[in-house]
Amino acid sequence: METMTVAEMRPTQVPVVLAIPPPKGYPIPHIVRNQMREAQISEEDIEKARLEWIRRCEEDHFHEWFWFPYQKNAWVNTWKRRPRTPEDSNLPQFPQFGLKNIDEMDAYSAFATAVAKYEWLPPSQQAYAFGLACLASLPNISADQPSMTAYISEGLHFRGGTQTFPFWGMEWELPVRHVDGKRDYEAIQRAWWDGISAIYSRPEAPCRAALEMRLTGGSSVLLAPQRGNQSTASIEVFTHPITPPEEWRQFRQLVVDRWTSYKDEKDETTKATGGYFNARPHWAKHWWDLDVHGQPIQQYVKEVAYKEAFAEFREVYARILERRGSTVAETRNRFDMELMGKLIFE
């Protein structure tokens, strides 16, 4: 088991174009360009921010970014860890983290919860007000302030954020290849900005909550969507449950069309998927009603994304059950769910 360590968190809020800068030549949405002019952000500033973003990706242990639609700023939460010392026996726990303005942040969080239910607000205004309240509720550590120090278990996937709200969410695990031993950072930038561009392209505001991304590794779990990846961009869009379902579905399809379009036919890992990187959806979020590469997503999952993994799972699963004196049929009869049973065993 891994030894308990300490997270030294310094979350900050910066202009969205400086949080994860767009790849060079990317068609930045008009509204963001206006924000850049207002803030007098230059190409030199963007290049400096790109290098700082890469430094964070390579040196920090945890990586997380949030952008709330229509907000000028994004929330950057990447941090390092250090060994635990005897002085760390009584570190702050969630949600205080030693913050002095926790009551004020709680008030903004409560306001965001209320805004998420306001059906009388026009969609874009609801998204804007929600994002404004969320940013006000999230810590913003300046250079002259001490770090938010806590056990690593308190810092992973920062527990004081928007996951405390009810949402509809869709997350995809996008493979990130390594070039000369380093992540393909331009591919990560493109996925992030394809999400922002998709949100700004829809005036009816079907994505009213946030765009969020974390960088993770691969996985040895047979059916994990990260399995086989050198690195993974876990990227998600989510909205409030009062969003019209069909608008939300159409928006998800738009985003999926972009996130599953990345390809490199020269890459050895893409031969089984027609040159496309093997993007896979998060099992527990919205994905089952879309199309990928012109086919129903359930067919894509079964025949492309998990074709080899499902076959390996069936074999390993049957062997485990045989050793335990049971059968696949018996366990399916007791525990099966329609969708997974159809995907894996039929």
Side-chain angles (χ1 to χ4, degrees), residues 30-284:
H30 180 69
I31 188 171
V32 179
R33 287 201 171 276
N34 287 341
Q35 293 168 0
M36 291 168 58
R37 282 192 289 269
E38 290 174 5
Q40 297 183 330
I41 296 173
S42 67
E43 291 298 326
E44 183 180 349
D45 294 328
I46 293 175
E47 176 60 15
K48 189 182 298 182
R50 184 186 71 86
L51 296 176
E52 167 62 13
W53 172 67
I54 291 176
R55 183 200 66 76
R56 285 176 176 268
C57 292
E58 294 183 349
E59 294 181 8
D60 290 353
H61 175 71
F62 181 83
H63 316 90
E64 180 178 53
W65 297 267
F66 270 90
W67 176 67
F68 302 97
Y70 309 107
Q71 298 304 309
K72 295 180 180 180
N73 288 346
W75 191 64
V76 178
N77 182 35
T78 75
W79 44 262
K80 294 179 171 63
R81 60 177 178 171
R82 62 167 174 80
R84 185 167 62 97
T85 68
E87 289 74 28
D88 298 320
S89 59
N90 193 29
L91 292 178
Q93 295 183 338
F94 168 84
Q96 287 82 11
F97 291 118
L99 296 171
K100 295 180 180 179
N101 61 334
I102 187 66
D103 292 338
E104 179 182 341
M105 294 168 66
D106 282 346
Y108 283 118
S109 181
F111 177 66
T113 303
V115 169
K117 301 175 184 177
Y118 288 168
E119 297 190 49
W120 51 270
L121 268 178
S124 59
Q125 292 183 24
Q126 183 199 40
Y128 178 79
F130 176 81
L132 205 62
C134 284
L135 279 178
S137 74
L138 290 170
N140 184 19
I141 306 299
S142 60
D144 60 344
Q145 290 179 299
S147 300
M148 293 163 45
T149 304
Y151 297 123
I152 195 171
S153 56
E154 295 291 319
L156 290 174
H157 206 3
F158 186 65
R159 299 201 298 155
T162 54
Q163 69 275 7
T164 57
F165 300 97
F167 286 117
W168 287 342
M170 178 187 73
E171 178 178 331
W172 280 72
E173 315 304 323
L174 307 182
V176 178
R177 65 178 179 175
H178 287 201
V179 180
D180 297 328
K182 293 187 176 182
R183 298 182 184 96
D184 182 355
Y185 288 111
E186 185 171 316
I188 302 171
Q189 293 170 273
R190 183 170 301 281
W192 176 255
W193 279 90
D194 278 351
I196 293 175
S197 296
I199 290 170
Y200 274 134
S201 74
R202 300 293 294 268
E204 71 275 25
C207 181
R208 305 183 190 180
L211 170 70
E212 184 254 353
M213 183 171 71
R214 286 169 292 117
L215 295 186
T216 62
S219 175
S220 59
V221 176
L222 293 183
L223 299 188
Q226 300 90 347
R227 189 174 185 229
N229 299 347
Q230 290 177 292
S231 292
T232 305
S234 300
I235 189 166
E236 175 178 18
V237 288
F238 42 105
T239 194
H240 309 142
I242 64 172
T243 305
E246 181 56 23
E247 289 183 11
W248 171 236
R249 190 201 65 79
Q250 290 178 9
F251 171 74
R252 286 185 289 117
Q253 184 63 64
L254 172 65
V255 174
V256 165
D257 287 345
R258 299 186 183 200
W259 287 346
T260 59
S261 69
Y262 311 136
K263 62 189 307 184
D264 185 349
E265 295 176 356
K266 297 180 181 178
D267 192 301
E268 289 293 321
T269 66
T270 68
K271 287 186 176 180
T273 54
Y276 293 99
F277 290 108
N278 194 12
R280 293 166 166 174
H282 188 301
W283 284 116

